[in-house]
Amino acid sequence: MAGRPRPRRRSADYAWLITGPLALFALACTIGFWIDDPRWFKDILPALVILALYLVSQFATFNVVIRRSGLTVTVTEVPLVLGLYYISPVLMIGVVVIGALCMQVRSSMVPVKAWFNVAKQAASISASLLVIAAFPPIVNAGPGTWGVLAVAVAVNVLVQLACLAGVMSVVQGGRAGPDMLRASLPNQMIAGVNGAVGLLFLIALEATKWSAILLAVLAVALTLLLRSFAGFFRQHRTLADVYELTQALRKETSDSALPDVLLARIRTLMRSEWATLWLAPQGRYPEVLLTAQVDNKGLLDISPVPATIRDYAIKERRVVAVGARFPDTEHLRDDIRSTRVKDVLVVPLRSGQTVIGTLEVVNRIGESRSFRDSDIQVLETIAAHAAAAVENSRLVDRLRHDAYHDRLTGMPNRRRIVDALAESVKVHAEHEVVAVVLFDVDGQRNVNESMGHAAGDKLLSEVAARLRGIADSGALVGRIGGDEFVVTLRTESLESTIALATEMRERLRGPMAVGSLTLDVDTAVGVAVYPDHGSDPETLLQRAELAANAAKALPYGVQPFHPALESRAVRRLGIAADLRRALDNGQLEVWFQPLVTLADRHVVGVECLARWVHPAHGEVAPEDFVAVAEHTGQLARLTEVVLAAGLRRCRDWAEADRPLSVAINLSARTLLDSRFPEMVEEMLAEYRVDPGQLTFEISEPGMLNDIERVLPSLYRLRDLGVRLSVDDFGTGASSLAYLRQWPVHEVKIDDTFVQGMATDSGDLAIVRAVVGLSREFGLTVVAEGVESELTLDLLEEMGCELGQGYLFSRPLPFERLEAWLSAQTEPETTPTGEVRRLRAVI
């Protein structure tokens, strides 16, 4: 259904069509009254008194808002009643005209509006005087006089309303007049009340002139009371509007839709002609400049605020108010005069210590013609909420972006690749396959170990940029792991995919500058295609990874998936029996990695780590035999072996009067065993170890997957006195608020964030947030993966209590740990016993 067309607005000069006839009518009435009463000047003294009262009543205007309706309370009818009774018609017209002129000069209205208001007042009082002239002469203040004066006041009000309706219909369209009349009903009622008050004043003055003193006291008291009520209602309205605005901002999570919610409300709340939101460009967010203007339903991309004032507010990082009421910014007045701006408020929007934009209002309209100090406070409150809304909307956008993109390269991550593949495999076309080409960067780990993770990150960024450049325009390029990149696209066949992968690998090869070195980086490429090698995204990716691992041993470096490549899974099953024998025969070793206090470099504990050297296969990666233990039911036995070794060493250190706590990694699957806390209690008693010296580390993702099922075991362990730690914090999808809900004592920040915090502002922000909130919750914070002095300094500055990493020591077997303690630490006596203190961190 089409909306009603908006009437075309005419020029304000059309108001002269109403102003002219009104002025002629008032002039004719004045001449007539002059001729009829040549001694009109005899009442000059009372006329001066009435003029003073009329001026006071004109300036004593109160604006009250009740619910959603605004009322303008004036008392001009009171001196009007007195003037109609006491002074001659000519003087009465003069009083009203002089009062109207003074009001227009004070309001600084444009001439068209000012002369219309003067003519309207003169014509309405002339009409009232004609009504009085039509009745018999007034001789006393009796009931008959009340009726005549009441009719005169009513005519005065009605003529003014008719004049306003006429001029609005002429200038703004035919519907504006009737709309104004409907909205004026409360003001008509107020005029009736004022007329009755004026008659009461008249009766009191006729009874005795001394009543003027009491009436003056009453008028002053009523004025103060009305001002108090008006201020109260104004504050109530402002608070209600600010509350509604903040609620609307809280519901809005889109940065692009924020100005629509914000600006029109601010312009109405501040009663300004313009309201502007300016946001500085930031990263991938462009500059925003949008303005709401009175009588304009849309938003404009301009602002009347001079750029010099906005720049000054940003530089000073404070509110800048320029106008007649703000003498401290007199030096900026010339900047706004050139743009016809009367007054302006500019409030910076802050995010922490950074100014991200400004909120600006220009030209106060309404009963107060300029902004005041109270307006600054209101706008500052709104700006604080607006800045939070902007940051929240951008945070949500960043979280959505980060959920599907890799932080280092900005490429789609594994989740995004899986979603894209899921959509691709739904569409099966003849003579076409969905190809997954996985690139595993060779030597990236060596770069990390020899040159540091910053160099490794630079290498990966260079590979990502080069891969984007050589990939087909229809391909999706992403990073799914530390050194693994994936390209997905549609090709004609497996053979064409292999040819394409080979070409891409050759183009990807070549020297890459990493710091001061130039490295020749190679890749191993695995290929899997739908539907030949799998029907779902995870299977395709898994088999592409298997192929890439096999490609590392090939001279040409490209390997399509083959079922024989799944033998590694079979191998895992094959070592299950060997793992059982290793556990029974004590062939698994427990290594220890020191845990150091960052403030004073005390070695206060160790993390116990299982290591296994297979007699045939050599060193088995912990993730391999732990996965085998989980799938073959040997996890409890593996945990018991590591726990026993750790408690034994903990007891020995305590008996040597140099206590060190021990930390043991736990799987969530272990916590699902309701007998585990009882076993821990028995082992603590057996080895005579204080429960506070034992910490169990549970990975965050594991806790999230089975949190409801593992909570009973966590509470039982906590009641034993054992310390509980959330390991790998930040790699899961939990909220920081969960830290208050889980019965844990410690948070261990994942090494990927710690290692990247020195070069990645995002990682730094995450670590800072985790440290800050954990400390608020009374939790100990441990940073793992400390590998540089810069990282150590940053963590110490944040207030992180503990750290472990290669900067202090790698994991060591017991004998080498004892040698390290002797060589790298020195004894220091504390109330709790001897503590080993690092001599220096090399």
Side-chain angles (χ1 to χ4, degrees):
M1 179 178 178
R4 190 173 61 213
R6 186 178 179 182
R8 185 170 60 88
R9 185 183 180 92
R10 295 177 178 175
S11 169
D13 291 337
Y14 277 83
W16 288 107
L17 296 175
I18 305 295
T19 303
L22 292 178
L24 291 175
F25 171 73
L27 180 61
C29 291
T30 303
I31 294 173
F33 289 130
W34 189 325
I35 295 172
D36 185 60
D37 184 13
R39 294 180 55 79
W40 54 270
F41 53 84
K42 66 183 183 299
D43 300 325
I44 191 69
L45 186 59
L48 292 175
V49 175
I50 298 298
L51 175 61
L53 294 175
Y54 190 76
L55 289 174
V56 171
S57 68
Q58 285 274 42
F59 296 136
T61 301
F62 312 99
N63 291 274
V64 179
V65 175
I66 300 177
R67 296 184 183 274
R68 305 305 301 171
S69 301
L71 299 178
T72 301
V73 180
T74 61
V75 292
T76 53
E77 289 79 11
V78 175
L80 184 67
V81 169
L82 298 178
L84 291 173
Y85 183 83
Y86 282 114
I87 64 177
S88 63
V90 175
L91 287 176
M92 189 62 203
I93 294 174
V95 165
V96 171
V97 170
I98 292 172
L101 284 172
C102 293
M103 191 65 183
Q104 304 316 306
V105 170
R106 177 178 179 268
S107 301
S108 303
M109 286 191 177
V110 296
V112 174
K113 292 184 178 180
W115 286 115
F116 166 76
N117 287 330
V118 172
K120 177 194 67 174
Q121 296 279 16
S124 62
I125 194 62
S126 298
S128 298
L129 292 169
L130 289 175
V131 169
I132 294 176
F135 287 94
I138 296 174
V139 294
N140 56 43
T145 300
W146 302 351
V148 173
L149 293 177
V151 172
V153 171
V155 168
N156 182 275
V157 173
L158 293 175
V159 170
Q160 290 194 44
L161 288 175
C163 294
L164 284 172
V167 76
M168 292 183 71
S169 297
V170 169
V171 175
Q172 298 185 6
R175 298 192 60 85
D179 291 343
M180 188 279 300
L181 291 176
R182 283 191 294 270
S184 65
L185 181 60
N187 289 327
Q188 296 177 41
M189 298 173 62
I190 293 173
V193 173
N194 289 339
V197 172
L199 291 174
L200 290 175
F201 277 36
L202 174 62
I203 293 170
L205 289 172
E206 283 297 293
T208 171
K209 301 301 182 184
W210 291 104
S211 64
I213 299 174
L214 296 177
L215 292 176
V217 173
L218 178 61
V220 171
L222 287 175
T223 299
L224 295 176
L225 182 63
L226 283 173
R227 283 190 179 278
S228 176
F229 271 107
F232 170 77
F233 283 120
R234 186 184 303 111
Q235 291 178 359
H236 181 271
R237 178 187 64 182
T238 300
L239 289 175
D241 289 344
V242 169
Y243 175 76
E244 290 183 4
L245 178 59
T246 56
Q247 290 296 103
L249 291 177
R250 187 175 301 170
K251 295 176 182 177
E252 183 54 60
T253 59
S254 171
D255 195 9
S256 59
L258 189 64
D260 294 320
V261 175
L262 182 68
L263 292 177
R265 294 171 182 262
I266 289 180
R267 196 203 59 73
T268 302
L269 175 61
M270 299 301 297
R271 295 183 290 282
S272 61
E273 184 179 355
W274 306 76
T276 298
L277 174 67
W278 175 77
L279 298 177
Q282 183 180 8
R284 59 191 180 90
Y285 300 105
E287 181 183 20
V288 174
L289 178 63
L290 291 171
T291 298
Q293 183 189 17
V294 66
D295 295 332
N296 196 325
K297 291 185 177 180
L299 294 181
L300 309 176
D301 58 357
I302 59 173
S303 172
V305 178
T308 53
I309 295 181
R310 180 183 301 129
D311 295 340
Y312 183 76
I314 295 172
K315 177 184 176 183
E316 296 294 318
R317 307 172 65 84
R318 63 177 179 86
V319 181
V320 172
V322 184
R325 291 178 179 264
F326 309 106
D328 58 326
T329 55
E330 183 67 28
H331 61 286
L332 298 174
R333 293 289 297 277
D334 292 338
D335 294 327
I336 65 172
R337 289 192 187 102
S338 60
T339 57
R340 296 184 180 179
V341 170
K342 177 167 58 70
D343 51 0
V344 59
L345 301 181
V346 179
V347 181
L349 301 179
R350 296 185 181 89
S351 174
Q353 298 299 318
T354 305
V355 176
I356 61 173
T358 58
L359 196 59
E360 307 158 2
V361 290
V362 175
N363 289 355
R364 178 66 177 265
I365 56 179
E367 73 279 2
S368 176
R369 303 297 294 177
S370 60
F371 293 114
R372 298 168 292 188
D373 291 336
S374 58
D375 296 316
I376 296 178
Q377 298 174 359
V378 172
L379 193 59
E380 282 186 305
T381 301
I382 298 172
H385 288 286
V390 170
E391 280 301 285
N392 287 340
S393 65
R394 290 185 173 180
L395 176 60
V396 169
D397 181 65
R398 285 196 294 269
L399 290 175
R400 288 172 179 164
H401 181 271
D402 292 346
Y404 290 96
H405 292 82
D406 173 58
R407 287 194 303 272
L408 176 63
T409 63
M411 284 181 162
N413 60 11
R414 189 182 191 94
R415 180 184 297 180
R416 176 72 182 91
I417 295 293
V418 168
D419 288 351
L421 278 174
E423 292 298 320
S424 297
V425 298
K426 290 179 181 178
V427 181
H428 179 60
E430 292 291 337
H431 310 296
E432 193 175 68
V433 297
V434 177
V436 176
V437 183
L438 189 143
F439 294 82
D440 191 320
V441 180
D442 187 27
Q444 194 263 343
R445 179 174 296 181
N446 294 332
V447 173
N448 282 344
E449 293 178 353
S450 60
M451 302 176 61
H453 282 270
D457 290 345
K458 182 172 176 52
L459 172 63
L460 292 174
S461 298
E462 179 66 23
V463 171
R466 192 171 292 188
L467 196 57
R468 283 194 192 99
I470 65 177
D472 187 80
S473 59
L476 178 63
V477 185
R479 181 187 177 205
I480 64 168
D483 56 1
E484 294 180 338
F485 295 85
V486 163
V487 177
T488 68
L489 71 165
R490 290 185 176 272
T491 61
E492 295 178 358
S493 63
L494 174 61
E495 291 71 21
S496 62
T497 305
I498 295 173
L500 176 64
T502 303
E503 180 186 354
M504 293 179 67
R505 178 177 179 272
E506 290 301 318
R507 295 177 62 186
L508 191 61
R509 296 177 68 183
M512 293 186 184
V514 178
S516 59
L517 298 179
T518 300
L519 304 178
D520 190 9
V521 178
D522 201 357
T523 56
V525 184
V527 176
V529 298
Y530 166 82
D532 299 347
H533 300 148
S535 58
D536 62 90
E538 290 293 350
T539 300
L540 289 171
L541 286 173
Q542 176 193 359
R543 291 178 172 176
E545 289 182 82
L546 288 174
N549 287 333
K552 294 178 181 179
L554 301 177
Y556 46 86
V558 177
Q559 171 68 56
F561 171 76
H562 189 275
L565 297 177
E566 290 186 308
S567 60
R568 184 183 179 188
V570 177
R571 175 177 172 270
R572 278 190 173 183
L573 293 176
I575 66 172
D578 298 333
L579 176 61
R580 182 176 289 107
R581 283 191 295 270
L583 290 170
D584 293 337
N585 299 330
Q587 295 174 358
L588 258 73
E589 292 185 66
V590 176
W591 290 23
F592 306 88
Q593 186 172 25
L595 192 65
V596 180
T597 60
L598 302 187
D600 48 24
R601 306 297 194 269
H602 286 170
V603 180
V604 294
V606 293
E607 181 179 3
C608 303
L609 302 166
R611 294 291 186 266
W612 182 26
V613 180
H614 192 277
H617 303 296
E619 184 174 346
V620 183
E623 57 268 21
D624 282 345
F625 66 77
V626 169
V628 169
E630 285 186 338
H631 287 92
T632 58
Q634 301 180 69
L635 185 61
R637 177 67 177 139
L638 175 61
T639 303
E640 183 180 355
V641 168
V642 177
L643 179 58
L647 292 179
R648 184 171 62 255
R649 299 305 182 188
C650 184
R651 179 197 60 196
D652 295 343
W653 287 321
E655 290 177 352
D657 200 25
R658 48 189 183 95
L660 291 177
S661 63
V662 292
I664 311 293
N665 287 294
L666 282 188
S667 168
R669 184 169 297 185
T670 301
L671 292 171
L672 294 176
D673 185 357
S674 60
R675 297 169 297 177
F676 179 72
E678 183 179 341
M679 184 196 75
V680 172
E681 184 176 13
E682 292 173 356
M683 294 185 70
L684 287 170
E686 177 184 352
Y687 288 98
R688 303 187 304 278
V689 173
D690 180 16
Q693 291 293 96
L694 173 61
T695 300
F696 284 126
E697 298 179 0
I698 308 99
S699 70
E700 180 197 10
M703 290 183 68
L704 286 174
N705 293 335
D706 293 292
I707 184 61
E708 296 298 331
R709 299 168 63 191
V710 304
L711 273 177
S713 294
L714 290 176
Y715 279 114
R716 289 176 62 190
L717 290 171
R718 185 197 64 178
D719 293 340
L720 287 177
V722 173
R723 292 177 56 81
L724 300 174
S725 174
V726 182
D727 197 11
D728 302 326
F729 191 84
T731 59
S734 67
S735 164
L736 291 173
Y738 286 164
L739 294 179
R740 288 198 311 179
Q741 303 171 15
W742 295 342
V744 298
H745 308 81
E746 181 181 282
V747 173
K748 200 166 188 181
I749 307 173
D750 188 68
D751 58 358
T752 56
F753 300 111
V754 175
Q755 291 168 0
M757 62 185 288
T759 56
D760 189 318
S761 59
D763 288 343
L764 180 62
I766 291 173
V767 174
R768 193 182 300 278
V770 173
V771 171
L773 194 58
S774 298
R775 297 190 65 186
E776 287 290 328
F777 293 162
L779 302 176
T780 303
V781 185
V782 181
E784 58 180 342
V786 181
E787 298 185 359
S788 69
E789 284 286 352
L790 177 57
T791 301
L792 180 64
D793 293 341
L794 289 172
L795 290 169
E796 187 174 357
E797 177 187 347
M798 293 177 191
C800 181
E801 292 98 332
L802 300 171
Q804 69 180 88
Y806 289 178
L807 181 65
F808 306 121
S809 172
R810 294 173 178 268
L812 302 170
F814 177 74
E815 293 75 13
R816 290 178 58 191
L817 174 68
E818 289 292 309
W820 179 86
L821 288 171
S822 299
Q824 299 295 333
T825 66
E826 57 188 9
E828 183 174 307
T829 304
T830 67
T832 60
E834 180 183 301
V835 174
R836 307 299 297 187
R837 186 178 189 277
L838 284 179
R839 290 194 175 94
V841 176
I842 301 177

